[in-house]
Amino acid sequence: MARLLELILNGRRHVGAVPDNVLLLDYLRETVGLTGTKTGCDGGECGACTVLIDDRPTLSCLTLAATAGGTRVDTVESLGTDGRLSAVQRGFHEKLGAQCGYCTPGFVMASAGLLRRNPRPSDAEIREALGSNICRCTGYVKIIEAVRYAAALHTAGAAP
Ligand code: FES
Ligand code: FES
């Protein structure tokens, strides 16, 4: 059965029809065309599919799209304004927090969610916030550095 889905997607009202059994990950990528959110393990293990629902990092591969009705969903496409990178995007870019980049949208969204709730996280809090995300090639030292730098940019006024 399909139902009407109404939500705020990347800051804009979105209305669509969605079958009850479609995952948010597949809805975003295949129906809406937002392919920044990645499919990794497809089973809740890697974090590549992380989006924000009402500012909370959420695994879209474990979330039915129909349950997102009435929420605010932000994907990696929501970040940055007028061609300028957000604080977290700059952090990953300038501190070399990505290599192949496949895991990066998930890390970026988990990090953006962290900075929205906690603009000045400790290293332990950064590690904890990224504990559900796996990177196979960069190594976590650079990623932690990227988020630390992003937090400093955010504290100085940049959007996370
Ligand atoms: S694709 Fe969702 S956790 Fe791996
Ligand atoms: S940058 Fe390649 S998996 Fe993380």
Side-chain angles (χ1 to χ4, degrees):
M1 195 175 109
R3 68 179 65 211
L4 196 66
L5 177 65
E6 186 170 349
L7 48 83
I8 304 297
L9 179 57
N10 293 344
R12 293 188 173 180
R13 182 169 173 265
H14 172 88
V15 180
V18 64
D20 283 342
N21 62 352
V22 166
L23 294 168
L24 181 59
L25 172 61
D26 297 330
Y27 183 75
L28 291 170
R29 289 181 56 84
E30 291 165 23
T31 302
V32 187
L34 293 172
T35 55
T37 305
K38 300 301 180 211
T39 308
C41 64
D42 217 4
E45 303 286 341
C46 74
C49 65
T50 304
V51 299
L52 301 183
I53 296 186
D54 293 335
D55 288 337
R56 273 210 340 270
T58 302
L59 299 177
S60 60
C61 76
L62 296 184
T63 305
L64 289 170
T67 65
T71 68
R72 192 159 37 84
V73 174
D74 292 317
T75 69
V76 71
E77 286 91 346
S78 70
L79 302 183
T81 38
D82 299 331
R84 288 197 317 268
L85 299 179
S86 73
V88 175
Q89 289 173 314
R90 274 186 64 190
F92 275 77
H93 177 59
E94 293 178 28
K95 297 296 174 183
L96 308 179
Q99 285 189 43
C100 80
Y102 198 83
C103 69
T104 308
F107 272 98
V108 164
M109 294 315 288
S111 304
L114 169 66
L115 297 189
R116 287 184 193 184
R117 345 182 261 285
N118 177 4
R120 297 168 197 263
S122 65
D123 281 7
E125 288 168 330
I126 294 172
R127 278 196 203 92
E128 188 183 338
L130 301 182
S132 299
N133 294 73
I134 292 174
C135 176
R136 297 268 182 217
C137 51
T138 297
Y140 298 97
V141 171
K142 291 284 182 196
I143 289 174
I144 304 292
E145 262 178 47
V147 181
R148 202 186 292 136
Y149 180 65
L153 293 173
H154 178 43
T155 304

